[in-house]
Amino acid sequence: MNHEEDNSLWGQKGATLSDKTAQKEFNLKQTEIIAAIKSGKLQYRHNTLYGNPCFKLLRNEVEDFVIEKYGSDYLTTQKHKAELSKINTEIRSLKRKISELEKRKEELLTTLSESEPQST
């Protein structure tokens, strides 16, 4: 891979992740990530998220590292767990939104029924 291709990966959406995300998504320890960086298996860039320093890693390298260390079944399982977690979070968010909308709907229906002229 030449230097230009390497730089384009760093800018692509979804091609990178922070060391914290790698720990969460792939169930890695910080010490494993640092050891992989020191051994040259993972490239990194210094980054900050919300003012906190972190490492920016290339997703494909992290995945290759996980496969090498734990096997492809482990990688697949961790990806499925991460996706399931995201789906559950989205479902909870949508349920909250539906609840808020239902509440607002009831308020509007009540207001409308109170403001309609009464027939005699």
Side-chain angles (χ1 to χ4, degrees):
M1 181 182 294
N2 70 34
H3 190 66
E4 222 172 89
E5 288 173 5
D6 178 49
N7 280 336
S8 70
L9 273 179
W10 289 103
Q12 282 181 8
K13 185 169 174 59
T16 62
L17 69 165
S18 73
D19 59 323
K20 305 300 181 229
T21 302
Q23 288 174 56
K24 189 175 175 184
E25 259 186 57
F26 300 105
N27 199 26
L28 295 172
K29 293 178 179 60
Q30 182 74 13
T31 53
E32 290 177 295
I33 292 170
I34 291 171
I37 288 170
K38 285 180 178 177
S39 71
K41 292 180 189 215
L42 296 178
Q43 297 178 63
Y44 72 97
R45 301 278 194 271
H46 286 282
N47 201 17
T48 54
L49 289 174
Y50 307 107
N52 299 315
C54 67
F55 295 123
K56 185 176 181 181
L57 308 169
L58 292 171
R59 180 175 290 279
N60 65 341
E61 289 184 356
V62 173
E63 289 177 356
D64 291 345
F65 170 71
V66 169
I67 289 170
E68 180 185 312
K69 188 157 177 132
Y70 298 105
S72 59
D73 288 346
Y74 180 85
L75 176 66
T76 303
T77 299
Q78 293 307 316
K79 280 184 164 188
H80 288 156
K81 284 180 180 179
E83 183 181 1
L84 185 58
S85 176
K86 285 178 186 174
I87 288 170
N88 284 332
T89 300
E90 181 71 13
I91 287 170
R92 282 191 304 275
S93 173
L94 291 170
K95 283 181 178 178
R96 272 192 303 276
K97 180 115 177 137
I98 287 170
S99 176
E100 290 167 9
L101 290 170
E102 290 286 354
K103 193 174 176 182
R104 183 65 182 140
K105 175 184 165 185
E106 288 304 316
E107 289 170 359
L108 290 170
L109 286 172
T110 301
T111 303
L112 283 172
S113 69
E114 288 172 357
S115 66
E116 285 180 359
Q118 301 296 323
S119 59
T120 51

